[in-house]
Amino acid sequence: MEANGHKVYAPSLTGNGDRSHLLSKDVVLDTHITDIVNLFKYEDLKDVCLVAHSYGGWPSSGALEQIGDRVSSIVWLDAFKPENGQKGTDFASDFSRKAMEEAVAKGLPGRAGPPPSAFGVNEKDQTWVKSKLTDQPNGVATQPIKLTGARQKIAKKTYIRAPKYPQAAFDKALAECKADASWKTFVNNNTGHDVMVDQPQWLADIILQVS
């Protein structure tokens, strides 16, 4: 997708979606960071608007440490905004933590996520969304992230919050961005967590506006 002349990229990560056949115990946060970095390098991507949704805030933050000069704008869409040294398990819900513990005990490389209804996906699209769900690699949540501030150096930064989905980490990220003049913020009270499913046109319009 292109917006205002900029390429818009939302990451596809090892062990997820069309790359779910690559799921293994070796997949960690650095694997997902490298997925993003290498795509930028080998496709020679420049002047990109990087969109990070939910967990995507983790590998996208890490990737910016290496590709920040190729990114002209970022959009954090109801996404984690981690700080140096934090890891996914620091923010895991009871559901996610229990699912991970059970998967690890069974020797499985990943665990199933919550159903679409847990994210407030509209009823019409829940069956379709469920058909696309794949297991999340366990290792991505246990490795601390290494950050030096590259995310903050991006010229155009936007945080979008969908508060119908309760997540304290996202509320904190929104408050931080509101207090920082270098970030734009938007709140949509009429959509679930998967904004791109529930209100794709609204989201596309915002991305066109801020990229």
Side-chain angles (χ1 to χ4, degrees), residues 17-199:
D18 60 344
R19 308 187 73 193
S20 57
H21 61 290
L22 300 175
L23 177 65
S24 78
K25 295 179 182 179
D26 294 327
V27 177
V28 294
L29 181 58
D30 276 347
T31 311
H32 283 176
I33 290 172
T34 303
D35 279 342
I36 300 172
V37 170
N38 279 353
L39 181 67
F40 270 68
K41 288 183 176 180
Y42 288 98
E43 295 294 331
D44 197 25
L45 299 178
K46 298 175 182 176
D47 198 21
V48 170
C49 173
L50 178 63
V51 181
H53 175 250
S54 196
Y55 158 77
W58 289 89
S60 295
S61 293
L64 287 172
E65 295 289 324
Q66 301 178 58
I67 58 169
D69 59 334
R70 296 172 178 263
V71 176
S72 56
S73 59
I74 58 174
V75 176
W76 252 232
L77 176 60
D78 229 25
F80 287 98
K81 187 170 164 283
E83 300 302 329
N84 183 51
Q86 292 181 327
K87 55 185 183 295
T89 51
D90 296 336
F91 303 91
S93 65
D94 291 339
F95 177 93
S96 295
R97 188 174 289 105
K98 181 179 180 181
M100 179 184 294
E101 291 172 352
E102 291 177 350
V104 171
K106 294 177 181 178
L108 300 175
R111 77 281 186 191
S117 58
F119 296 111
V121 174
N122 69 86
E123 291 186 9
K124 178 176 65 72
D125 289 320
Q126 285 186 18
T127 299
W128 174 77
V129 171
K130 186 175 182 179
S131 73
K132 305 300 181 184
L133 296 181
T134 58
D135 289 354
Q136 174 78 334
N138 294 322
V140 302
T142 57
Q143 179 188 3
I145 194 167
K146 298 176 182 178
L147 302 176
T148 65
R151 184 182 60 213
Q152 188 60 24
K153 295 177 183 178
I154 302 300
K156 297 180 180 180
K157 300 181 288 293
T158 300
Y159 195 92
I160 299 173
R161 179 72 175 108
K164 285 178 67 175
Y165 175 66
Q167 172 52 261
F170 300 168
D171 294 334
K172 181 175 181 291
L174 175 65
E176 291 173 348
C177 292
K178 278 186 173 182
D180 185 337
S182 70
W183 285 80
K184 291 183 178 180
T185 61
F186 296 85
V187 177
N188 189 326
N189 291 297
N190 302 309
T191 176
H193 178 52
D194 292 347
V195 186
M196 59 284 188
V197 175
D198 291 336
Q199 293 196 355

Side-chain angles (χ1 to χ4, degrees), residues 3-4 156 158 184 186 202-211:
N4 295 336
K156 297 180 180 180
T158 300
K184 291 183 178 180
F186 296 85
W202 179 88
L203 178 59
D205 290 343
I206 293 296
I207 293 173
L208 285 168
Q209 176 182 334
V210 303
S211 64

